[in-house]
């Protein structure tokens, strides 16, 4: 890869649109659910699974369930996606509201 190609790839990465949304982590072994929100819903699972594998997740109840079961017992689902053109303030308020609704609807714990 030439330096020009690398610069083009880096520029394209920086210009990509991010999608905010609400997600759920479901434990199929116990039926437990956790609901969270993210400004980068498409990459949220990678970061979350990384911290869970290391045992360093800030979400204690999720980490405890992860430690008690296998990785195959967990599923990540995108529940809701916000439009890309939402302003940052509206996006943050809407994320909180949607996450609260999904938490109630699923009887889940909030992340």
């Amino acid at each position: 890869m030439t330096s020009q190609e690398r610069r083009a790839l880096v520029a394209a990465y920086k210009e990509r649109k991010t999608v905010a949304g609400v997600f759920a982590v479901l434990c199929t072994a116990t039926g437990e659910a956790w609901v969270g929100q993210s400004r980068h819903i498409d990459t949220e699972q990678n970061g979350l699974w990384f911290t869970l594998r290391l045992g360093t997740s800030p979400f204690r109840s999720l980490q405890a369930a992860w430690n008690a079961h296998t990785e195959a017992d967990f599923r990540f689902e995108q529940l809701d996606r916000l439009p890309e053109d939402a302003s940052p303030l509206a996006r943050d308020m809407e994320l909180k509201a949607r996450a609260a609704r999904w938490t109630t609807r699923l009887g889940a714990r909030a992340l």
Side-chain angles (χ1 to χ4, degrees):
M1 175 182 329
T2 67
S3 63
Q4 282 183 322
E5 291 171 333
R6 184 177 188 287
R7 279 190 218 123
L9 288 173
V10 168
Y13 177 79
K14 288 180 180 180
E15 292 173 10
R16 69 177 166 63
K17 298 280 186 186
T18 60
V19 179
V22 178
F23 64 90
V25 176
L26 306 167
C27 179
T28 57
T30 63
E32 291 178 283
W34 295 264
V35 172
Q37 58 189 341
S38 175
R39 287 182 271 156
H40 305 281
I41 190 98
D42 294 329
T43 60
E44 184 65 30
Q45 181 181 0
N46 288 338
L48 191 56
W49 260 226
F50 180 77
T51 59
L52 288 166
R53 284 182 194 125
L54 288 178
T56 60
S57 175
F59 311 112
R60 290 183 180 173
S61 64
L62 178 57
Q63 185 69 61
W66 181 276
N67 293 342
H69 303 286
T70 66
E71 182 175 340
D73 291 326
F74 290 86
R75 196 171 73 230
F76 182 92
E77 289 187 12
Q78 293 184 16
L79 302 173
D80 218 342
R81 293 168 71 99
L82 296 181
E84 293 177 9
D85 60 350
S87 71
L89 179 60
R91 179 193 62 213
D92 291 344
M93 289 174 32
E94 187 64 23
L95 276 175
K96 286 179 186 175
R98 290 185 186 196
R101 280 194 300 264
W102 277 106
T103 301
T104 302
R105 187 179 296 169
L106 295 176
R109 297 180 185 158
L111 293 179

